Amino acid sequence: MLKAKDIMTTDCTTFTPDTDIMTAAKTLIEEKINGAPVVDNGKVVGVLCQSDLVAQQKKVTLPSFFTLLDGVFPLSSYEELEKEMAKISALQVGDAMTAAPTFINPDASIEDVATMMANEKLYTLPVVEDGKLVGVVGKEDVLKTLLEK
């Protein structure tokens, strides 16, 4: 049975939280990868994916309010709006990345990896062993296993 360590990319592209957004976008496009881990002081702190960069182009949805007894109350949280605004206006990877990413260990089965990707819509999974990044499994790595059968 194949495991993550059998298909992962070990010489993977990484970013730091202070990497410029434009540099990161250019790197993802040039290297034809969906995403890359964000590493700070040797620890994986996030993942930056193409979808994080696409989110910068979306329209901002202002929260709805209702009035009750001369009071104005938002129907959604200000925290959600703040997060959305930070992502849209991000100039550095740290502001646009998905923080606290899901990661896998090298011995995770391909079936488990594929299930996680499909169920959680995650297409770039850092592979971490003893707290250290050892590789990345992307959706294309999983798809390639279908061709080898």
Side-chain angles (χ1 to χ4, degrees):
M1 175 186 293
L2 284 175
K3 298 189 181 297
K5 65 184 172 187
D6 300 321
I7 65 166
M8 71 184 184
T9 302
T10 54
D11 184 23
C12 53
T13 299
T14 61
F15 299 118
T16 62
D18 60 347
T19 301
D20 177 71
I21 280 293
M22 298 309 285
T23 302
K26 184 178 177 185
T27 301
L28 293 178
I29 291 167
E30 287 177 352
E31 295 189 17
K32 296 182 172 100
I33 55 177
N34 181 59
V38 181
V39 180
D40 192 20
N41 294 322
K43 184 179 178 196
V44 178
V45 295
V47 171
L48 181 75
C49 292
Q50 290 178 359
S51 58
D52 294 318
L53 298 175
V54 169
Q56 288 193 302
Q57 303 301 317
K58 73 179 192 173
K59 291 181 182 179
V60 177
T61 307
L62 296 175
S64 299
F65 295 90
F66 73 94
T67 306
L68 178 67
L69 302 174
D70 293 330
V72 178
F73 301 93
L75 293 176
S76 60
S77 82
Y78 285 116
E79 289 177 15
E80 293 289 323
L81 181 60
E82 275 185 31
K83 283 181 191 175
E84 192 173 331
M85 291 301 294
K87 204 165 215 171
I88 289 171
S89 62
L91 298 176
Q92 295 182 321
V93 167
D95 297 323
M97 71 181 186
T98 300
T102 300
F103 47 83
I104 56 176
N105 70 48
D107 291 320
S109 72
I110 297 305
E111 290 82 7
D112 289 342
V113 171
T115 301
M116 186 180 299
M117 286 181 166
N119 290 347
E120 299 178 34
K121 294 181 178 42
L122 301 170
Y123 305 115
T124 302
L125 292 171
V127 183
V128 175
E129 185 172 40
D130 298 325
K132 185 177 184 224
L133 179 69
V134 294
V136 172
V137 173
K139 64 182 175 183
E140 288 184 3
D141 297 319
V142 175
L143 289 174
K144 287 177 188 173
T145 65
L146 295 173
L147 301 174
E148 296 170 2
K149 288 185 178 183

